Amino acid sequence: MIALSKNVRKYWQLYVFIVPALAYFIVFHYIPIYGAQIAFKNYSAVKGIWGSAWIGFDHFERFFNSYYFKLLLTNTLQINLYQLALFPVSIIVALSIHEVTRARFKRFVQLVTYAPHFISVVVISGMILVFLDPSSGIVNTIIKALGGESISFITEPGWFKSIYVLSGEWQNLGWGAIIYLAALAGINPELHEAAQIDGASRWQRIFHINVPGIMPTIIILFILNLGSFMNVGFEKIYLLQNPLNMESSEVIQTHVYKSGLLQAQYSYTAAIGLFNNAINFAILLTFNRLARRSGNSLW
Amino acid sequence: MKKRTVRSVAAAVALILAVLPGCASNGNEGNTNTNQAESQKPSDKPKTFNETGLPIVDQPIKLTMMGAEDMQRNWEDLYFFKGMEKDTNIQFEYTTLPSTSYQERKNLAFASNELPDVFFQGGLSSNDEVNYGSQGMLIPLEQLIADYAPTLTKLFEDNPEIRQSITAPDGHIYALPQIADHPRDRYLRLFVNGEWLNNLSISKLPATVDELYDLLVKFRDEDPNQKGVADEIPLTGDNKLHYIRPIMLSYFGYVSDFVNVKDDKVNFVPVQSGYKDYLTFMNKLYAEKLLDPEIFSQNKAQMTAKGENELYGVMGNSLPIFGGKDRQVVPNNILDNPQMPPLVSEAGATPIYLERDTIRRGMFAITSANKHPEATIRWFDYLYSEEGYLHAQYGIEGESYRWSDTDPKYVEFMVPEGMLENDFKNMKVSNLGYGFANEELEKKFLNSSWLGFVLNDQVGQYEDYGQKAFPLTYFTEDELQRVNAITVDLQTFIEQMEAKIVVGQDPVSKWEEYVQTMNKMGVEELVAIYQASYDRWKNAK
């Protein structure tokens, strides 16, 4: 303790730097955890979070027994696995952008790929609906011009997950690549020079220098991704949803919104949220343990 | 290495400890504040409060108000509230939200106990009234009404049905309704494109479901919009099937899409055999391209755009859109496009039509945060009077309306140069709603050629067939919990099933399987609860 206070006095500027970040996490991420107890209570605003009566696991039971439980879980898992399968895409994009030698072209490609990231989800959803419209949308106009049959993308449950995941991938591709590009820039150029002298081809240099060079970054990002595994961006799904695609578009988050915010069943939805986060936490712990073997774990 | 980790952890803990007391004390401060507010609350009437006569208070008081916007965001600019303030001396600070996001905000206001003094256009559901009333967040109004609200008391005496419909199971009244006793508001309508009828020289409207089908086929095949291409969409409706579903179901013998009452017995409609006939018919319309193929995915703007392109023949919407702006002028849009009469079918051999309640519950309420409930109830009472009605509809005499020079006199808006009368009314006066209005009252103030009277005349054909789906009842708290738990999933399921069968993703025969699922989801229990609530209502009568 004495050593600590001495340390603090000596490097107090550094400690000051971490105070805001720490305060943010405590105030906005740790203190609210105490509200999670309403998942086991019948929350009433008048009695407050502490004062509401305990009812045990009733809300969890109701959720597990509800008709839509299986569907919600399947859809949430499928959409996330789909997204996860596309995880390598931004790595590939980053590796290819890195290989471009003409600076102007490189910057152009980067700009084009990450610009969509800044479009609001609401606008993106509107664009998707307009582009995919069966009678007037550009996609179906092209299909019809090529002699095909117009496809009602947005009301076919089979198309929903692809539309959701691929449009998301399009939007965030370039943004996701930025961090890999930064990691690539940090690779010692001498390694490349040495490899070139030894006669390594471009492919060989990519696979034996670039990929191992950014491997720690890849693993960390992969684990972080898994930490939010069960979370699906709710807004876009909600905006693209209709009764016909519901069987493949209803996920835990939209269900929580509908019964929580719209129907004011806060305790019930808190229970669903808690269940969801418990799964996330378990996945995060498991993969972090696996990653520790490669020496690149989060902690 | 080890030592360093220990040290950094210790540093983190120290910092947490340093930050925590700050937060804790903040929390305490918040608490003491609310406690103070609560202890002050029974501070009853302001010293300048007048029990009768105007103004209600001699010294202006300011209250907070929350409500759902209609077309005007800035309520402080409305002549309605200005006029009320001038007469009563009660001012408001407004928190308003677009109706689409209002429900969320309202729920959060209750959940966090950060309440406005008053809800106006409150959109409080019967659940909200029972729930938040029993928790004390909405205050009971019946004593206040008896003491300070002569207009409301008289209204209740003249129409005992109103009091019956707004009294919660615990005997209290937690929210006041809007009474819009107009024939025109009681019925949903299908408009038929009058120009298309002329172009095809059809003079007789359908009387049966089969004739409706024939009409739609003609609209599809005979190029009624005379564009030379088969782009016509014979039938559409607002908001997926939500608008036309109850109308269509009435052709097959039900005036509700959820529960209805026949001979004091509650039925769950989607499991009844007539519901299958309805699905069969809608599926036929969809398969033969008689129903708007985008009805499940389009939004209102897309529907309006298609309407303005003259694509629709029959339309379920509050007003018809059968062409550009020139064809949407009142009252010709109503007069030129006839409304579909009640139709009959094999399953629904006697014509019936859904009649909606003209009592709109949950519009106005006073919360526990309000320090001047007596003054507030008098403000509400004033709203139900003729003067209140005039403010709500016309604003302030000499500023937003004047009396005409004609005989008999009627009120007319003083519309500024370059503004449409409708825009002036919606944006500057108010279309938020009054406390009470009926045709008799309207006739005192309005020109006989007014759109509302035209609409009233038009719905005459439905009046003989009108039936209400389910009376305005309340559930007890225990019942509510079960109803909520069952209804959310069930409604989603029904809407999904309906959509799938209508577009043909599932065959109509699968309905029997769906009935089994619905029963498993708790239809029986739901019907029992509705029956209990109906019986209570019936006995209270």
Side-chain angles (χ1 to χ4, degrees):
Chain A
M1 217 48 195
I2 296 160
L4 175 74
S5 64
K6 219 166 117 191
N7 202 331
V8 170
R9 232 170 292 142
K10 194 167 171 197
Y11 299 111
W12 64 272
Q13 295 98 329
L14 296 178
Y15 284 94
V16 168
F17 274 124
I18 64 164
V19 167
L22 207 59
Y24 164 78
F25 277 102
I26 291 168
V27 173
F28 291 104
H29 291 264
Y30 282 87
I31 292 178
I33 290 178
Y34 116 101
Q37 58 177 294
I38 65 167
F40 306 96
K41 290 183 162 183
N42 250 342
Y43 174 66
S44 127
V46 173
K47 293 178 195 148
I49 292 173
W50 270 127
S52 303
W54 293 97
I55 55 157
F57 283 87
D58 285 12
H59 294 303
F60 291 89
E61 267 169 45
R62 177 180 153 201
F63 180 53
F64 298 147
N65 292 329
S66 83
Y67 176 77
Y68 281 102
F69 174 66
K70 245 177 140 175
L71 185 84
L72 292 173
L73 205 60
T74 334
N75 281 336
T76 314
L77 285 173
Q78 279 178 350
I79 287 181
N80 277 297
L81 287 172
Y82 200 153
Q83 274 174 336
L84 210 58
L86 295 177
F87 179 78
V89 174
S90 39
I91 303 173
I92 295 167
V93 169
L95 287 172
S96 8
I97 291 180
H98 188 68
E99 291 305 309
V100 176
T101 41
R102 282 168 55 198
R104 277 177 71 104
F105 181 66
K106 188 170 171 176
R107 253 177 288 158
F108 174 73
V109 171
Q110 244 189 303
L111 179 73
V112 168
T113 50
Y114 79 60
H117 176 80
F118 297 100
I119 308 175
S120 122
V121 184
V122 181
V123 176
I124 292 275
S125 310
M127 284 163 62
I128 293 173
L129 290 178
V130 170
F131 289 162
L132 298 181
D133 187 284
S135 57
S136 58
I138 184 162
V139 177
N140 274 309
T141 313
I142 294 172
I143 293 177
K144 277 185 271 186
L146 295 174
E149 273 277 308
S150 157
I151 301 168
S152 181
F153 289 101
I154 214 70
T155 53
E156 283 286 336
W159 278 101
F160 183 82
K161 289 186 179 101
S162 300
I163 293 168
Y164 176 82
V165 174
L166 294 178
S167 65
E169 195 58 34
W170 162 71
Q171 195 185 356
N172 292 315
L173 188 72
W175 189 254
I178 287 180
I179 201 157
Y180 297 116
L181 282 169
L184 284 167
I187 293 172
N188 190 346
E190 281 173 19
L191 290 173
H192 281 279
E193 278 164 29
Q196 255 166 333
I197 290 165
D198 288 344
S201 73
R202 212 166 199 187
W203 280 111
Q204 282 169 325
R205 277 188 287 128
I206 290 176
F207 283 109
H208 298 286
I209 299 175
N210 284 351
V211 173
I214 60 170
M215 199 41 114
T217 317
I218 295 177
I219 291 177
I220 294 287
L221 283 183
F222 188 73
I223 297 174
L224 286 177
N225 241 333
L226 286 172
S228 56
F229 182 67
M230 293 282 283
N231 295 347
V232 181
F234 141 82
E235 297 96 335
K236 202 163 101 191
I237 291 215
Y238 190 69
L239 290 166
L240 294 176
Q241 208 171 43
N242 62 52
L244 283 170
N245 65 26
M246 197 107 79
E247 65 175 78
S248 75
S249 67
E250 187 80 340
V251 294
I252 290 179
Q253 278 73 22
T254 49
H255 187 71
V256 165
Y257 172 75
K258 285 174 193 167
S259 34
L261 282 180
L262 294 184
Q263 309 243 348
Q265 305 179 39
Y266 301 109
S267 287
Y268 173 55
T269 42
I272 302 177
L274 201 59
F275 163 73
N276 201 23
N277 284 330
I279 296 184
N280 276 340
F281 196 55
I283 294 175
L284 183 69
L285 287 180
T286 318
F287 276 85
N288 192 57
R289 177 160 296 185
L290 289 179
R292 210 175 311 166
R293 291 192 197 150
S294 72
N296 287 314
S297 65
L298 272 181
W299 65 84
Chain B
M1 182 70 195
K2 231 341 168 354
K3 219 171 187 177
R4 244 189 22 228
T5 353
V6 173
R7 240 184 250 165
S8 55
V9 168
V13 170
L15 274 166
I16 292 170
L17 291 177
V19 174
L20 270 180
C23 301
S25 66
N26 269 346
N28 283 342
E29 262 166 45
N31 281 341
T32 42
N33 272 346
T34 48
N35 286 343
Q36 265 167 21
E38 266 164 36
S39 58
Q40 271 171 19
K41 210 209 78 202
S43 78
D44 42 16
K45 309 151 213 176
K47 288 183 188 73
T48 59
F49 172 72
N50 298 318
E51 293 199 6
T52 52
L54 292 173
I56 294 173
V57 283
D58 294 331
Q59 297 290 320
I61 54 170
K62 195 157 199 169
L63 301 172
T64 55
M65 174 186 275
M66 183 186 277
E69 288 162 12
D70 197 340
M71 290 167 85
Q72 172 53 273
R73 306 205 61 148
N74 303 317
W75 285 10
E76 59 272 13
D77 294 343
L78 293 174
Y79 283 109
F80 166 35
F81 289 116
K82 283 188 201 162
M84 291 292 283
E85 182 188 328
K86 217 164 87 173
D87 293 355
T88 63
N89 257 343
I90 296 179
Q91 305 169 341
F92 289 102
E93 210 171 282
Y94 307 94
T95 307
T96 67
L97 286 119
S99 50
T100 42
S101 49
Y102 173 75
Q103 286 299 325
E104 251 171 77
R105 182 69 183 74
K106 177 203 74 190
N107 288 339
L108 289 175
F110 281 111
S112 59
N113 211 356
E114 280 167 18
L115 292 167
D117 293 325
V118 170
F119 280 100
F120 188 91
Q121 285 279 330
L124 301 168
S125 64
S126 56
N127 300 5
D128 292 339
E129 288 179 41
V130 171
N131 225 329
Y132 301 129
S134 64
Q135 294 179 23
M137 297 165 103
L138 297 174
I139 63 168
L141 304 176
E142 62 280 352
Q143 196 52 48
L144 287 168
I145 293 172
D147 293 345
Y148 301 105
T151 317
L152 272 168
T153 309
K154 185 166 180 316
L155 186 68
F156 289 171
E157 274 164 16
D158 295 346
N159 311 278
E161 191 199 344
I162 298 176
R163 182 183 264 278
Q164 184 191 359
S165 307
I166 61 170
T167 305
D170 58 6
H172 292 304
I173 294 173
Y174 292 114
L176 294 171
Q178 179 186 50
I179 315 292
D181 193 12
H182 309 303
R184 61 177 182 273
D185 286 344
R186 279 191 213 134
Y187 306 98
L188 296 164
R189 293 177 282 254
L190 279 185
F191 287 99
V192 186
N193 192 327
E195 198 176 282
W196 288 18
L197 290 175
N198 285 340
N199 289 346
L200 303 181
S201 13
I202 300 169
S203 54
K204 198 176 145 289
L205 286 175
T208 67
V209 169
D210 294 333
E211 286 173 24
L212 169 64
Y213 171 76
D214 294 339
L215 176 75
L216 296 178
V217 170
K218 277 187 187 153
F219 277 171
R220 180 192 64 192
D221 296 339
E222 298 180 11
D223 192 23
N225 65 8
Q226 300 177 330
K227 284 191 189 164
V229 280
D231 58 355
E232 288 87 355
I233 301 168
L235 173 67
T236 195
D238 187 20
N239 192 5
K240 307 189 179 120
L241 289 177
H242 286 293
Y243 197 97
I244 60 172
R245 179 191 303 126
I247 302 178
M248 290 291 173
L249 273 170
S250 75
Y251 303 159
F252 296 96
Y254 307 100
V255 288
S256 161
D257 53 7
F258 203 62
V259 291
N260 75 346
V261 184
K262 239 181 206 160
D263 308 324
D264 290 339
K265 203 176 159 302
V266 176
N267 297 304
F268 188 71
V269 174
V271 301
Q272 309 289 322
S273 64
Y275 194 83
K276 188 181 178 185
D277 298 324
Y278 154 77
L279 290 176
T280 315
F281 183 67
M282 294 304 280
N283 170 251
K284 182 164 94 170
L285 296 189
Y286 190 92
E288 299 184 17
K289 302 217 179 309
L290 299 171
L291 179 66
D292 195 336
E294 284 157 13
I295 195 160
F296 290 106
S297 54
Q298 72 191 356
N299 59 27
K300 194 151 192 144
Q302 287 169 304
M303 182 186 79
T304 307
K306 287 199 276 184
E308 293 189 341
N309 271 328
E310 299 178 27
L311 297 183
Y312 290 137
V314 179
M315 183 170 202
N317 195 24
S318 51
L319 288 172
I321 306 168
F322 289 139
K325 292 273 179 265
D326 55 315
R327 289 204 54 204
Q328 295 177 39
V329 182
V330 289
N332 284 349
N333 59 344
I334 308 289
L335 294 173
D336 296 348
N337 300 302
Q339 292 164 34
M340 190 75 72
L343 306 183
V344 292
S345 67
E346 241 173 83
T350 29
I352 52 171
Y353 210 71
L354 168 66
E355 182 183 337
R356 295 191 295 177
D357 268 297
T358 48
I359 300 172
R360 298 182 190 151
R361 294 194 292 193
M363 295 292 269
F364 319 116
I366 303 178
T367 71
S368 53
N370 193 320
K371 290 181 200 155
H372 306 291
E374 297 85 3
T376 315
I377 199 77
R378 287 210 56 211
W379 189 89
F380 280 137
D381 194 53
Y382 190 59
L383 183 68
Y384 285 83
S385 68
E386 260 180 48
E387 293 83 4
Y389 168 79
L390 266 179
H391 285 316
Q393 290 294 86
Y394 285 89
I396 303 172
E397 186 174 359
E399 287 184 45
S400 62
Y401 76 88
R402 59 171 168 249
W403 289 92
S404 67
D405 316 323
T406 54
D407 186 50
K409 285 177 189 297
Y410 54 86
V411 291
E412 49 187 23
F413 284 115
M414 295 159 67
V415 185
E417 199 71 35
M419 203 168 185
L420 291 172
E421 178 171 308
N422 226 10
D423 288 348
F424 178 70
K425 172 166 181 3
N426 292 334
M427 312 303 275
K428 298 285 177 198
V429 183
S430 158
N431 58 351
L432 294 168
Y434 36 77
F436 170 83
N438 61 10
E439 193 166 22
E440 197 188 331
L441 184 68
E442 285 173 338
K443 281 199 167 138
K444 285 190 197 170
F445 305 112
L446 296 170
N447 190 346
S448 57
S449 68
W450 180 61
L451 169 73
F453 298 134
V454 177
L455 279 168
N456 283 351
D457 292 342
Q458 293 265 316
V459 297
Q461 58 172 331
Y462 302 125
E463 278 187 332
D464 292 342
Y465 310 107
Q467 279 183 17
K468 286 183 183 169
F470 197 78
L472 295 168
T473 68
Y474 288 93
F475 297 114
T476 65
E477 268 181 276
D478 292 341
E479 288 172 348
L480 259 182
Q481 293 232 334
R482 290 305 301 153
V483 168
N484 281 342
I486 298 172
T487 309
V488 182
D489 284 356
L490 198 57
Q491 259 170 348
T492 317
F493 180 79
I494 292 167
E495 207 180 323
Q496 218 177 313
M497 157 197 89
E498 176 193 44
K500 277 182 171 177
I501 291 185
V502 170
V503 306
Q505 279 178 15
D506 281 345
V508 181
S509 57
K510 218 172 164 192
W511 173 78
E512 267 109 37
E513 217 173 287
Y514 282 135
V515 170
Q516 310 248 312
T517 316
M518 284 189 270
N519 284 330
K520 260 186 243 155
M521 290 169 86
V523 167
E524 206 176 309
E525 190 185 349
L526 193 72
V527 168
I529 295 174
Y530 269 89
Q531 184 75 53
S533 130
Y534 176 81
D535 292 342
R536 271 199 308 272
W537 174 85
K538 178 102 180 156
N539 293 334
K541 216 171 187 174

